[in-house]
Amino acid sequence: MSKLKRNWKNVLNQSLWIIYTLLVLPISTGAQIWPHDNSVTISPSICISYEAQFICDCKMVNEHLVLPHLIGSAYQLEIRNCQSLTIESNALQETQHLHKIIFKNVENLVLSQHSLTLPDYSSSTPLILSFEKVKIKLIDSLAINGQIEEITIVDSYIESIRPFAFNILKNNALRLTMDRVQIKRIEPQAFKKLVVEKIDIQNCEFLTNVPSKTFYDIEVSDSLLLSNVRFKTVHTKAFSFKMISKLTIANNYFEAVDAEWLEAFVKKSPLLRDNQFGNTSEIAFKGIKVHRDYGSSEKLELRFSNNTIHFPRDNVQPLEFSKEFTLNVKQLNMDNPYPCTDIDYNSQILRPKSEFYNHYQHNVYFRQDATTTSQGTRATYKPLNEIINNDCSKHSYWIYIIIGVVVLLILIALIVVIACWLAAKKRKAKRKMDIIQPEPRTYKETQIVYQIENAGLLKTDF
């Protein structure tokens, strides 16, 4: 009996020790245990509450950290100085009145599903997200979800953005700002069905292709600005907007654009200027159209200025635009040689066959031979009307010369054929006369005939 009691005491002591090591010891040391094999959770002592805000300073600890579930009321959360950090699902579910989250100087940041989701009852004020000097490893699907008012990403790097990463409630107009950001990979429908007040993307670089429907089914109530952004290939309808009030695309570089890469229904005159488009489709800009709510009888003007376009394999085609606009083309540089075969040589004045190049021949420039300067090799461009009058007219002279020579050879051939035919006909007639003419008489026979004629007894025609 005593032996049995001692066994129960041993079991009880071991159980108490396990409870102590799992619960009491972590609380006394200020750490929390999380079910991660290769991660260390940020200590609650590192995340402190100070003047209505949470401040989580990792102090550049060289370990992978996980943000603890925060509890309490605060206006702002600032996370800074982290070498590796993961924010798990519902990490902010027990916070209240949180209005702004700031990430600053954070590397290898992983935003899991619903990681930046606030409960509906926690605050009636939409959330503001700010990322500055942050290296984001992953923005998972539904990572940013709920009432979001503004997202600002500056001086940062994003390795991967999953589909539906941004799921914003439609009753909130989002302001999205990206400045000096590199994006390695972005998947289709990363931004989908959003009501956005303003999108401002400047000085950014997409390191891989932008797939179709990356920005999909989005309404922009104010303006969309793409400025000084470098793209690889932008696929069909990668940017698809149900409505944009003001569209500006300026100073961008596109390695290639596939078919109608941009679909946008605008309410104000769109502007595309100082862009360089690599391999381009002739219908690349046909997807820009007038929104049905535009009520004025006056046509909107589509301003297309100082852009450079390259057609693959020098297959020059006329660009197509929606006829709903009054098109204003200025200094359009075509990074291809102009094919003089496009000239209508049957017209009295030489002109292009296509309506687009004929109408804008004074504003469209085609590439000439590259020139080498102290600053490097640079292509020169020449107005289309000068190419037609100078270069293509020379081709027309050669065509006329060739046509004249061919016609002359045909005439000579006809003359030779007719002469041969007449000569053959004459020889044939002569042969017939030779057959009908009697054989010549002998001298004696001729004398007899003369004597008879002189006597008046015979009358002949000889």
Side-chain angles (χ1 to χ4, degrees):
M1 187 70 177
S2 60
K3 186 176 181 180
L4 182 61
K5 287 182 179 180
R6 284 196 302 269
N7 291 336
W8 275 106
K9 286 182 180 180
N10 292 334
V11 172
L12 182 60
N13 290 334
Q14 291 177 1
S15 300
L16 291 174
W17 174 251
I18 292 173
I19 293 173
Y20 175 77
T21 55
L22 291 177
L23 297 177
V24 179
L25 185 60
I27 293 174
S28 63
T29 58
Q32 295 185 10
I33 302 298
W34 290 82
H36 295 279
D37 295 332
N38 299 316
S39 63
V40 178
T41 302
I42 294 181
S43 169
S45 61
I46 295 178
C47 289
I48 62 173
S49 178
Y50 176 75
E51 293 184 354
Q53 65 176 334
F54 290 118
I55 299 177
C56 296
D57 192 339
C58 304
K59 299 180 180 179
M60 301 307 293
V61 175
N62 190 20
E63 296 182 61
H64 180 68
L65 305 175
V66 177
L67 185 72
H69 285 235
L70 300 177
I71 302 174
S73 176
Y75 177 81
Q76 176 176 296
L77 166 63
E78 181 176 349
I79 301 173
R80 63 195 184 196
N81 303 325
C82 301
Q83 286 198 12
S84 183
L85 177 66
T86 294
I87 301 181
E88 294 190 324
S89 300
N90 303 317
L92 307 177
Q93 279 294 311
E94 298 184 50
T95 60
Q96 296 179 356
H97 307 107
L98 193 59
H99 177 59
K100 189 173 185 179
I101 301 177
I102 300 173
F103 294 88
K104 191 172 184 179
N105 195 24
V106 178
E107 297 183 6
N108 298 314
L109 175 63
V110 176
L111 299 178
S112 305
Q113 291 189 14
H114 300 285
S115 58
L116 299 182
T117 300
L118 298 180
D120 295 336
Y121 61 83
S122 66
S123 175
S124 59
T125 305
L127 189 63
I128 296 175
L129 299 178
S130 176
F131 300 83
E132 183 179 353
K133 295 182 179 179
V134 177
K135 183 178 180 181
I136 303 175
K137 188 173 183 179
L138 173 66
I139 303 179
D140 206 350
S141 300
L142 304 177
I144 300 175
N145 184 34
Q147 300 187 64
I148 309 295
E149 178 183 2
E150 182 177 343
I151 299 176
T152 302
I153 307 175
V154 179
D155 291 323
S156 298
Y157 172 86
I158 303 175
E159 185 172 328
S160 179
I161 304 178
R162 294 274 178 84
F164 310 105
F166 300 86
N167 187 30
I168 315 301
L169 296 180
K170 278 199 169 185
N171 57 352
N172 293 287
L174 168 71
R175 291 191 296 271
L176 174 62
T177 301
M178 299 174 67
D179 192 0
R180 300 183 299 278
V181 177
Q182 286 186 324
I183 301 176
K184 183 177 181 180
R185 182 185 179 190
I186 185 168
E187 298 187 25
Q189 304 185 45
F191 297 85
K192 181 181 179 181
K193 291 187 177 181
L194 306 179
V195 175
V196 184
E197 179 183 340
K198 186 176 182 180
I199 296 179
D200 191 346
I201 303 177
Q202 298 190 64
N203 308 310
C204 297
E205 183 177 7
F206 289 80
L207 301 176
T208 55
N209 297 342
V210 181
S212 299
K213 298 182 179 180
T214 297
F215 291 80
Y216 179 63
D217 199 10
I218 296 177
E219 298 179 25
V220 183
S221 59
D222 186 6
S223 63
L224 167 64
L225 172 63
L226 287 178
S227 177
N228 197 26
V229 182
R230 294 184 65 87
F231 294 92
K232 296 291 186 181
T233 299
V234 181
H235 288 287
T236 305
K237 295 184 179 180
F239 295 87
S240 180
F241 299 92
K242 293 173 62 177
M243 187 271 290
I244 297 178
S245 183
K246 183 180 179 181
L247 172 65
T248 303
I249 301 176
N251 299 295
N252 302 292
Y253 172 81
F254 299 82
E255 188 174 292
V257 288
D258 184 16
E260 296 181 19
W261 66 278
L262 171 64
E263 181 183 46
F265 295 87
V266 299
K267 289 185 176 181
K268 296 181 180 179
S269 295
L271 171 63
L272 289 84
R273 63 171 178 83
D274 299 307
N275 300 289
Q276 185 172 350
F277 297 93
N279 291 339
T280 305
S281 168
E282 65 272 17
I283 61 172
F285 310 101
K286 197 174 181 180
I288 305 175
K289 299 178 181 179
V290 177
H291 193 269
R292 62 179 179 272
D293 290 343
Y294 177 73
S296 177
S297 59
E298 184 179 356
K299 278 189 173 184
L300 290 178
E301 181 183 53
L302 195 161
R303 290 169 290 174
F304 201 79
S305 305
N306 301 317
N307 296 295
T308 300
I309 291 178
H310 175 79
F311 284 107
R313 298 178 296 278
D314 287 337
N315 183 22
V316 176
Q317 299 292 331
L319 294 177
E320 298 182 24
F321 294 86
S322 173
K323 297 186 181 298
E324 300 171 338
F325 294 100
T326 298
L327 184 60
N328 184 355
V329 176
K330 293 182 180 179
Q331 188 72 37
L332 173 57
N333 296 324
M334 309 300 294
D335 190 31
N336 300 90
Y338 181 72
C340 288
T341 54
D342 186 54
I343 296 296
D344 183 6
Y345 290 104
N346 295 324
S347 62
Q348 187 174 2
I349 300 176
L350 295 181
R351 61 183 182 85
K353 296 178 182 178
S354 63
E355 181 181 351
F356 176 80
Y357 290 125
N358 181 42
H359 188 76
Y360 298 103
Q361 58 179 284
H362 295 277
N363 298 310
V364 177
Y365 295 69
F366 279 86
R367 188 190 69 209
Q368 304 296 297
D369 295 334
T371 57
T372 302
T373 63
S374 58
Q375 298 178 350
T377 303
R378 184 178 181 181
T380 57
Y381 294 88
K382 191 174 183 180
L384 177 56
N385 64 315
E386 293 185 12
I387 295 175
I388 294 173
N389 295 328
N390 298 328
D391 302 339
C392 291
S393 61
K394 297 177 182 178
H395 292 278
S396 66
Y397 296 151
W398 279 108
I399 290 175
Y400 292 144
I401 292 172
I402 293 173
I403 292 175
V405 171
V406 171
V407 171
L408 180 61
L409 291 175
I410 293 174
L411 289 175
I412 293 174
L414 286 175
I415 292 172
V416 171
V417 170
I418 293 173
C420 292
W421 178 74
L422 291 175
K425 186 177 181 181
K426 189 174 181 180
R427 285 196 300 270
K428 186 176 181 181
K430 187 176 181 181
R431 283 197 299 269
K432 288 182 178 180
M433 290 295 296
D434 291 341
I435 295 172
I436 297 173
Q437 187 175 357
E439 294 182 359
R441 298 183 181 91
T442 62
Y443 176 79
K444 186 176 182 179
E445 290 174 342
T446 303
Q447 292 298 323
I448 294 172
V449 171
Y450 285 161
Q451 290 177 4
I452 294 173
E453 287 180 349
N454 292 333
L457 299 176
L458 179 65
K459 190 70 175 178
T460 66
D461 294 330
F462 297 103

